[in-house]
Amino acid sequence: MADATKYVPIGGGNLHTTTLDLKNLFSILKTRTTLAFAYVFIFLFIAFTVFLAFSPSPNASSPWFTNIFSPSSSTTSPTSSKSQLSSIFSYFFPNTNNTNVSYPFDPLQNNTSSTRSTNATSLSQSHIPNTIEKTINSNITSVQNSSQDAVPVPVPVQIPIPNTNNTKITNLTSQIVKKEPSFVINQTSHSDEAIAKDKAMNSNQTKNATAEGVPITPNKNLSSNSSSLKDVVLNNYTASLAKKQNNKHEEKKKDEWMESLMKCDFFDGEWVKDDSYPLYKPGSCSVIDEQFNCIGNGRPDKDYQKYKWKPKGCSLPRLDGHKMLDLLRGKRLVFVGDSLNRNMWESLICILRNSVKDKRKVYEANGRVHFRGEASYSFVFQDYKFSVELFVSPFLVQEWEMPDKNGTKKETLRLDLVGRSSDQYKDADIIVFNTGHWWTHDKTSKGKDYYQEGSHVYDELNVLEAFRRAITTWSRWVDANVNPSKSIVLFRGYSASHFSGGQWNSGGQCDSETAPIDNEKYLTEYPPKMRVLEKVLNNMKTHVTYLNITRMTDFRKDGHPSIYRKHNLSPEEQKSPLRFQDCSHWCLPGVPDTWNEILYAELLIREYRNQQQKKRT
């Protein structure tokens, strides 16, 4: 049975055999038709795909499909076929290990770079297909980087990158820096020769490529801008350094100058011609009393205003009114003494007033316009809350009256009592005292029945001894009433007179003098009263700065008002004008301006010492 089934007779069962053969043939044909159809479909699909690759429709309905095949440039080249096939191949066979790609200056990432030399895109070479890597390397513009400090410029990159599911393509374009040229990496591949050439040009960049990306160099314009920026920064730094060095140099010079001032004897020197003087124009200051207004009273020569005092050991600073006003801001500066201190007081008011913009804000507190006959005056500098005041006290001790035997009163000088106005200025910030000229008058010089202590009036007392007792009384009052930590005390010495042919009340003259004394041998003897004063000052507890102007004024026989002391002469004066001369006071502008320059120098020294003390503490 088995054999019968296995071996069918040739002549039998022909219909059955034919049927089996037809079934086998149809089965075979069916299989071949299916394969042929499949091959035709595949061929058509490939042909359609190639067609779209070379001639994509701009109106394709599928955005992702368009993105795959859309070229980065509208122009074609002989090498475009290779580029498109590479893109197609990369699409169908992506690198599945590409999991993270970053780009320079991605707004979604915190990507920064510290230096130009290490700045690169964050696109890792290990994550980029070979064709894209070639495209990047062949299209990066190589420009010499002229500055290590230039700012890196972001590069717009447009590279199709498939995701891990091979279903989506993402276009990433970095931001373009405003006003800087763009660097575009073309997606289109170059020929092998172009690629080799570009790789040779960018070999340094390739060698310097880090694991995080490819270094991008700026273009020539950016290099130029960066170089300019570097020059500006360098110039600013150099200027700043030079300024600091110059400031240090100036500060050193200032320190040396101040040290020389502190060691200098201001009163040992000479007068030198200086056309930059006076410190204020004649006739510009209405404060000047008629007695001192020589130009206003008709004096023809003006060279007496053109002299500057030059100490031998230093350079005396020219008085800066603005600076002095700042030093005196909020303070009281008081002059106490005789009419020579009034000379100095008016001089200072004119100097400082000349430095104030609004002259209306400088005024006498009581509205006075003449400054003789009253016990005190006060000029206010409103903007500086500063006042410069004068208290008349020719002897610094009290002038007194006491009953005489005949029932009348006689004048005396109380050597044991300081001036009556002392309580009004004891708290002032700066006090300048003086006395001297009134001790040469008849009563004081003779000393008969004039000097008094307590209730006792001396029948006769030597004027030098009387002066010593009066100055001692003054010094004790200063030690007891003036606070040296708050107040600065100065004493201006005796101002020389230049009467020739008699004294002030006996026809003495100086009207012919138009130049200073140029030889020291013609100077007068140093006044004995000033030696007495110096001894008293040395024994005081309070430090008193002694302005010893006696010798420096002795040179200036040309600086007095002489006959130009009044504008309108009385009938008697008109008859003998040469008999009435003033050879004690000084014309303004003139010699007293220099006294105030010395005062200014003393204030500068005190300010400097205070600053140095603060630095040490």
Side-chain angles (χ1 to χ4, degrees):
M1 186 68 180
D3 291 336
T5 305
K6 186 176 180 181
Y7 301 103
V8 179
I10 296 174
N14 289 332
L15 180 59
H16 178 71
T17 303
T18 301
T19 301
L20 292 173
D21 290 337
L22 289 174
K23 289 180 178 179
N24 291 334
L25 178 61
F26 282 118
S27 176
I28 292 170
L29 290 175
K30 183 178 181 180
T31 302
R32 289 180 178 178
T33 300
T34 302
L35 291 174
F37 180 80
Y39 289 147
V40 171
F41 178 80
I42 292 172
F43 176 78
L44 292 175
F45 179 79
I46 292 174
F48 180 73
T49 303
V50 172
F51 173 78
L52 290 179
F54 287 94
S55 300
S57 174
N59 298 322
S61 61
S62 177
W64 66 269
F65 195 75
T66 301
N67 288 339
I68 294 173
F69 297 104
S70 61
S72 61
S73 175
S74 62
T75 60
T76 61
S77 65
T79 62
S80 63
S81 175
K82 180 183 291 186
S83 174
Q84 300 295 347
L85 291 176
S86 297
S87 299
I88 296 169
F89 180 81
S90 299
Y91 171 71
F92 284 104
F93 300 97
N95 185 356
T96 57
N97 294 329
N98 185 11
T99 59
N100 184 22
V101 180
S102 60
Y103 294 87
F105 300 96
D106 188 343
L108 300 179
Q109 302 181 26
N110 293 327
N111 186 4
T112 59
S113 176
S114 59
T115 62
R116 284 292 300 268
S117 60
T118 61
N119 181 41
T121 63
S122 301
L123 188 61
S124 174
Q125 290 183 356
S126 62
H127 298 158
I128 304 175
N130 292 334
T131 56
I132 299 176
E133 179 182 356
K134 289 181 180 180
T135 302
I136 295 174
N137 288 331
S138 63
N139 286 277
I140 296 175
T141 304
S142 177
V143 181
Q144 293 296 328
N145 183 3
S146 62
S147 172
Q148 293 295 325
D149 297 324
V151 179
V153 176
V155 180
V157 180
Q158 187 175 9
I159 304 175
I161 300 178
N163 63 1
T164 55
N165 297 325
N166 296 327
T167 59
K168 293 183 179 179
I169 306 297
T170 305
N171 253 345
L172 297 178
T173 303
S174 62
Q175 295 178 349
I176 300 174
V177 174
K178 187 178 182 181
K179 295 184 181 179
E180 290 296 339
S182 302
F183 295 88
V184 179
I185 300 179
N186 197 341
Q187 182 181 343
T188 305
S189 300
H190 293 277
S191 65
D192 293 339
E193 292 181 0
I195 292 173
K197 185 177 180 180
D198 289 342
K199 283 188 175 181
M201 292 175 63
N202 296 300
S203 59
N204 290 334
Q205 293 175 338
T206 304
K207 290 179 182 179
N208 293 329
T210 63
E212 294 182 3
V214 181
I216 305 297
T217 57
N219 69 359
K220 188 175 294 184
N221 291 334
L222 176 62
S223 177
S224 176
N225 292 339
S226 300
S227 179
S228 299
L229 178 61
K230 179 181 178 182
D231 291 341
V232 171
V233 173
L234 182 60
N235 290 338
N236 288 342
Y237 174 76
T238 303
S240 177
L241 183 62
K243 185 176 181 181
K244 289 181 179 179
Q245 291 176 344
N246 185 57
N247 289 341
K248 289 182 179 179
H249 180 65
E250 292 297 327
E251 186 175 352
K252 183 178 180 181
K253 287 178 62 177
K254 179 183 177 181
D255 289 341
E256 292 175 353
W257 177 63
M258 292 304 301
E259 292 292 337
S260 70
L261 282 184
M262 289 189 289
K263 298 175 182 178
C264 185
D265 181 0
F266 292 153
F267 310 102
D268 182 17
E270 61 181 347
W271 291 95
V272 295
K273 197 76 176 291
D274 190 332
D275 289 334
S276 69
Y277 281 76
L279 297 174
Y280 50 97
K281 294 181 180 179
S284 66
C285 185
S286 60
V287 177
I288 296 176
D289 187 70
E290 183 186 23
Q291 185 182 6
F292 310 139
N293 190 4
C294 300
I295 298 298
N297 292 331
R299 181 167 180 170
D301 63 302
K302 297 178 175 60
D303 282 350
Y304 70 91
Q305 302 172 93
K306 302 288 185 180
Y307 286 93
K308 172 184 177 180
W309 179 250
K310 177 67 175 66
K312 294 178 180 178
C314 62
S315 178
L316 193 67
R318 182 184 178 93
L319 197 157
D320 183 338
H322 297 286
K323 174 65 174 177
M324 192 167 185
L325 282 169
D326 285 333
L327 292 174
L328 296 173
R329 188 183 295 273
K331 301 185 185 313
R332 287 182 65 202
L333 171 55
V334 173
F335 291 88
V336 182
D338 57 24
S339 55
L340 272 301
N341 248 12
R342 179 162 58 91
N343 225 176
M344 185 178 181
W345 172 70
E346 290 185 10
S347 163
L348 183 61
I349 293 172
C350 290
I351 294 171
L352 298 182
R353 183 177 179 271
N354 190 52
S355 300
V356 174
K357 292 182 179 180
D358 190 351
K359 304 295 190 293
R360 295 172 300 178
K361 293 185 178 181
V362 180
Y363 51 86
E364 206 280 323
N366 296 306
R368 300 186 181 111
V369 293
H370 300 288
F371 310 108
R372 300 179 65 178
E374 300 292 337
S376 64
Y377 303 90
S378 175
F379 259 87
V380 177
F381 289 75
Q382 184 176 329
D383 288 340
Y384 295 87
K385 298 180 180 179
F386 154 69
S387 65
V388 53
E389 306 170 30
L390 172 67
F391 289 86
V392 178
S393 183
F395 299 101
L396 298 182
V397 290
Q398 287 189 30
E399 296 179 78
W400 199 262
E401 290 182 345
M402 65 175 303
D404 197 357
K405 295 178 180 178
N406 300 326
T408 59
K409 292 183 178 179
K410 64 177 182 180
E411 295 180 349
T412 61
L413 188 63
R414 291 289 300 267
L415 302 178
D416 56 343
L417 295 177
V418 74
R420 292 184 177 88
S421 58
S422 57
D423 285 342
Q424 299 180 49
Y425 56 75
K426 66 179 180 181
D427 295 326
D429 298 281
I430 303 169
I431 314 174
V432 181
F433 294 95
N434 99 292
T435 189
H437 280 269
W438 284 48
W439 294 87
T440 62
H441 294 178
D442 284 341
K443 290 183 178 181
T444 51
S445 60
K446 294 178 180 178
K448 294 182 177 180
D449 197 26
Y450 182 64
Y451 297 115
Q452 178 181 354
E453 287 183 320
S455 58
H456 178 69
V457 178
Y458 292 92
D459 292 334
E460 187 174 353
L461 184 65
N462 181 273
V463 62
L464 200 57
E465 175 60 20
F467 180 81
R468 185 191 67 79
R469 295 186 183 190
I471 293 297
T472 301
T473 298
W474 166 83
S475 67
R476 290 172 179 170
W477 176 87
V478 170
D479 285 339
N481 293 274
V482 177
N483 182 0
S485 64
K486 179 185 182 298
S487 302
I488 299 172
V489 181
L490 303 98
F491 198 108
R492 184 184 57 75
Y494 183 78
S495 171
S497 297
H498 295 90
F499 291 100
S500 176
Q503 291 301 313
W504 65 274
N505 57 350
S506 58
Q509 300 178 6
C510 58
D511 60 293
S512 61
E513 306 294 348
T514 58
I517 295 174
D518 57 3
N519 194 328
E520 294 184 7
K521 70 179 183 179
Y522 296 116
L523 299 179
T524 58
E525 182 184 359
Y526 189 69
K529 293 184 183 68
M530 295 300 101
R531 298 193 184 279
V532 171
L533 172 65
E534 292 172 9
K535 290 181 180 180
V536 173
L537 295 178
N538 289 334
N539 292 326
M540 292 179 64
K541 293 186 298 182
T542 304
H543 173 74
V544 177
T545 299
Y546 179 37
L547 304 180
N548 188 3
I549 52 91
T550 301
R551 184 173 177 273
M552 68 181 294
T553 55
D554 203 359
F555 283 99
R556 294 303 308 274
K557 60 185 177 67
D558 62 318
H560 301 289
S562 64
I563 61 175
Y564 306 104
R565 63 186 182 86
K566 291 181 68 176
H567 186 66
N568 296 313
L569 299 179
S570 65
E572 184 180 359
E573 291 169 338
Q574 290 176 357
K575 292 178 182 179
S576 306
L578 297 182
R579 289 186 55 199
F580 301 93
Q581 295 196 21
D582 184 353
C583 302
S584 296
H585 299 99
W586 303 94
C587 296
L588 293 178
V591 172
D593 300 334
T594 300
W595 305 347
N596 284 311
E597 283 195 304
I598 295 174
L599 173 62
Y600 173 64
E602 291 289 347
L603 295 179
L604 289 177
I605 290 173
R606 289 177 182 274
E607 180 193 38
Y608 178 75
R609 284 174 175 165
N610 291 337
Q611 291 174 349
Q612 296 302 309
Q613 182 66 28
K614 289 179 180 178
K615 288 181 180 180
R616 287 191 292 268
T617 56

